[in-house]
């Protein structure tokens, strides 16, 4: 996803077998009742139609959708199956992995470090590290700061991560940073001068994950649960695949509609978050309203405002705040993040001016082909009311 929204391959797939389509469509009438309100809303009806059609066409068994209006969740809709074999429906409590939307949640933890005085946004990250250090290069590593990492202007390598099959041993953070990942075998290192260009880097968020552990002397996942998610009321959000999470989790499906094992990540800050549509929609509400009472001292409202402000430099390839990415479609600016791991796809998109939002979670590799048309339809309603 770059500054002007594009998809990895936005082309129709061959239709799945008719019997699978019948299963999903028959389930939708029941699942669509899992909403807060809005069944007479034209957008709700259109999302239901699109969801039924696009999930079948693109081998995505189920989706969960939330729409925010005036800074509050207006309705939540569930379509299709969390698991095809057992015919378990998607509900507002179904757990999904959200891929790179993880970075958006992680940024709240990193910014909390700045509020606690554990690190300054523009201090060299290198001076706070002991367990691992950036390799020497022709570029100045003292210019790698938290501000630049969170805005993808740090000059660091490694676009993304593939993860490991659940049940296999995970690498340590240091091993990952040293390039022992199966997907690309690339070390996290400087590939351009920090602060001179926008270049997406999941590797930077892995470095920030290490920074948080070094400065707090706590495990990243536990810190985020105790200091971010639980205080925000996000009780079903975690960077770990716990037994409880597995009981409520959707099954991941590949591009051909085959079930696959969940991926687990050493690089949790970049790609390893599990959550529900209800929890993530609440997180989106807070990004829009910045309500001090609901924030519960997790972050100050002014910190969130700063995070939602563009950081220079930007380019035709992208533009970011601190964790939040700026995404344009037909000249209309939104912020948020999208995410894709094998078997999963997610989008969290916000318009600050109208305090509107759309969140879509999918349990299929082709989920972007489902959420993108829904996004286009949602955007029409925003433009009409703007």
């Amino acid at each position: 996803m770059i500054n002007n929204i594009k998809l990895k391959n936005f082309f129709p797939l061959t239709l799945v077998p008719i019997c699978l389509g019948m299963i999903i469509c028959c389930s939708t009438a029941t699942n669509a009742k899992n909403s807060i309100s809005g069944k007479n809303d034209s957008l709700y009806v259109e999302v239901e139609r699109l969801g039924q059609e696009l999930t079948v066409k693109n081998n995505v068994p189920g989706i969960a959708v939330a729409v925010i209006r005036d800074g509050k969740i207006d309705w939540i809709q569930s379509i299709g199956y969390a698991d095809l074999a057992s015919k378990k429906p998607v509900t507002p409590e179904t757990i999904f992995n959200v891929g790179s939307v993880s970075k958006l949640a992680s940024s709240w933890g990193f910014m909390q470090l700045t509020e606690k005085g554990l690190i300054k946004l523009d201090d060299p990250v290198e001076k706070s590290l002991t367990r691992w250090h950036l390799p020497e290069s022709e570029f100045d590593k003292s210019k790698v700061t938290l501000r630049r990492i969170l805005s993808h202007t740090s000059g660091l390598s490694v676009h993304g991560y593939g993860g490991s099959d659940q049940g296999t041993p995970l690498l340590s953070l240091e091993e990952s940073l040293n390039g022992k990942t199966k997907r690309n075998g690339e070390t996290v290192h400087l590939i351009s001068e920090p602060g001179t260009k926008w270049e997406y880097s999941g590797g930077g968020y892995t470095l920030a994950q290490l920074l948080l552990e070094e400065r707090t002397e706590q495990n990243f996942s536990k810190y985020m649960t105790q200091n971010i998610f639980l205080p925000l009321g996000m009780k079903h959000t975690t960077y770990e695949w716990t037994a409880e999470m597995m009981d409520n989790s959707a099954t991941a499906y590949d591009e051909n509609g085959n079930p696959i094992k969940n991926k687990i990540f050493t690089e949790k800050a970049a790609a390893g978050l599990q959550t529900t549509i209800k929890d993530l929609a609440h997180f989106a509400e807070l990004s829009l309203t910045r309500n001090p009472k609901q924030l519960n001292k997790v972050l100050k409202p002014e910190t969130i405002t700063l995070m939602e402000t563009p950081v220079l430099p930007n380019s035709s390839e992208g533009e970011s705040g601190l964790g939040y990415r700026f995404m344009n479609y037909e000249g209309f600016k939104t912020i948020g993040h999208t995410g894709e791991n094998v078997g999963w796809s997610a989008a969290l998109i916000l318009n600050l001016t109208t305090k509107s939002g759309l969140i879509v979670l999918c349990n299929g590799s082709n989920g972007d082909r489902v959420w993108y048309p829904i996004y286009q339809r949602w955007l029409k309603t925003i433009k009409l009311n703007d």
Side-chain angles (χ1 to χ4, degrees):
M1 187 104 174
I2 61 175
N3 196 36
N4 293 308
I5 290 180
K6 294 182 181 178
L7 304 180
K8 60 176 188 282
N9 286 301
F10 194 54
F11 300 102
L13 291 178
T14 302
L15 290 179
V16 297
I18 293 174
C19 59
L20 177 60
M22 291 175 65
I23 288 173
I24 295 177
C25 288
C26 289
S27 74
T28 304
T30 299
N31 296 340
K33 293 178 182 178
N34 294 314
S35 62
I36 292 177
S37 66
K39 293 178 189 176
N40 296 320
D41 179 0
S42 61
L43 178 60
Y44 184 99
V45 174
E46 184 68 5
V47 167
E48 183 175 4
R49 183 191 68 78
L50 285 169
Q52 291 181 31
E53 173 188 328
L54 294 168
T55 51
V56 173
K57 183 183 292 186
N58 295 294
N59 294 345
V60 178
I63 63 171
V65 183
V67 165
I68 296 174
R69 290 186 173 121
D70 297 322
K72 295 181 180 180
I73 299 171
D74 194 36
W75 49 260
I76 287 175
Q77 184 172 172
S78 308
I79 298 172
Y81 282 109
D83 182 79
L84 284 172
S86 65
K87 298 184 180 180
K88 183 170 77 172
V90 174
T91 75
E93 287 76 35
T94 299
I95 302 291
F96 293 80
N97 175 271
V98 295
S100 286
V101 178
S102 305
K103 295 180 178 69
L104 187 51
S106 301
S107 67
W108 282 48
F110 302 141
M111 291 302 293
Q112 192 180 77
L113 298 185
T114 68
E115 289 195 354
K116 290 180 175 180
L118 294 176
I119 190 169
K120 294 181 180 178
L121 267 177
D122 298 311
D123 275 358
V125 167
E126 178 69 17
K127 74 176 188 180
S128 296
L129 301 176
T130 61
R131 287 164 46 187
W132 185 86
H133 294 282
L134 279 166
E136 297 295 336
S137 72
E138 62 185 294
F139 306 112
D140 187 353
K141 63 182 180 180
S142 72
K143 294 181 180 179
V144 177
T145 65
L146 185 59
R147 188 190 302 274
R148 287 172 173 160
I149 287 174
L150 298 187
S151 61
H152 299 286
T153 59
S154 65
L156 291 171
S157 64
V158 185
H159 184 277
Y161 296 97
S164 302
D165 287 341
Q166 194 163 21
T168 59
L170 280 175
L171 298 173
S172 68
L173 269 176
E174 292 88 336
E175 288 174 323
S176 173
L177 290 162
N178 281 329
K180 294 187 177 181
T181 55
K182 291 182 180 179
R183 176 168 167 175
N184 48 30
E186 185 182 8
T187 62
V188 174
H189 63 281
L190 283 168
I191 54 177
S192 61
E193 189 69 16
T196 62
K197 64 184 295 188
W198 186 97
E199 189 160 6
Y200 192 86
S201 173
Y205 276 72
T206 305
L207 183 58
Q209 181 179 332
L210 176 65
L211 175 67
L212 183 146
E213 291 193 354
E214 293 257 42
R215 298 303 294 153
T216 65
E217 299 183 349
Q218 294 183 50
N219 171 273
F220 172 77
S221 298
K222 290 182 179 178
Y223 181 89
M224 291 295 296
T225 296
Q226 294 170 1
N227 294 276
I228 306 297
F229 301 139
L230 290 181
L232 294 179
M234 299 168 66
K235 297 180 181 180
H236 305 289
T237 300
T238 176
Y239 287 93
E240 304 291 341
W241 277 113
T242 63
E244 180 183 1
M245 297 291 279
M246 285 301 300
D247 287 342
N248 295 313
S249 171
T251 301
Y253 291 84
D254 66 15
E255 292 184 353
N256 297 315
N258 299 314
I260 57 175
K261 288 184 178 181
N262 289 326
K263 296 294 184 180
I264 54 176
F265 292 84
T266 295
E267 308 84 8
K268 293 177 173 62
L273 186 66
Q274 284 68 240
T275 189
T276 66
I277 191 70
K278 289 176 71 174
D279 274 10
L280 196 59
H282 177 58
F283 178 84
E285 283 181 312
L286 296 176
S287 296
L288 289 168
T289 64
R290 308 162 200 150
N291 186 318
K293 290 183 179 179
Q294 290 184 308
L295 286 171
N296 198 23
K297 298 182 179 179
V298 168
L299 286 180
K300 298 174 183 176
E302 54 266 34
T303 298
I304 300 172
T305 301
L306 175 64
M307 295 168 73
E308 296 171 343
T309 302
V311 174
L312 295 175
N314 55 34
S315 72
S316 60
E317 294 299 307
E319 180 181 27
S320 297
L322 303 175
Y324 292 80
R325 293 194 62 189
F326 288 79
M327 301 172 284
N328 296 339
Y329 177 73
E330 295 182 351
F332 193 83
K333 181 170 283 191
T334 57
I335 68 166
H337 220 291
T338 62
E340 292 176 0
N341 283 329
V342 178
W344 307 98
S345 185
L348 186 157
I349 301 170
L350 309 171
N351 178 252
L352 298 179
T353 303
T354 60
K355 295 190 182 302
S356 302
L358 174 72
I359 304 92
V360 187
L361 307 181
C362 311
N363 63 332
S365 290
N366 296 323
D368 60 333
R369 303 182 188 187
V370 178
W371 69 251
Y372 189 70
I374 291 174
Y375 163 79
Q376 290 176 302
R377 181 64 184 84
W378 168 78
L379 193 56
K380 287 182 181 179
T381 68
I382 305 301
K383 288 184 173 181
L384 285 172
N385 297 321
D386 189 13

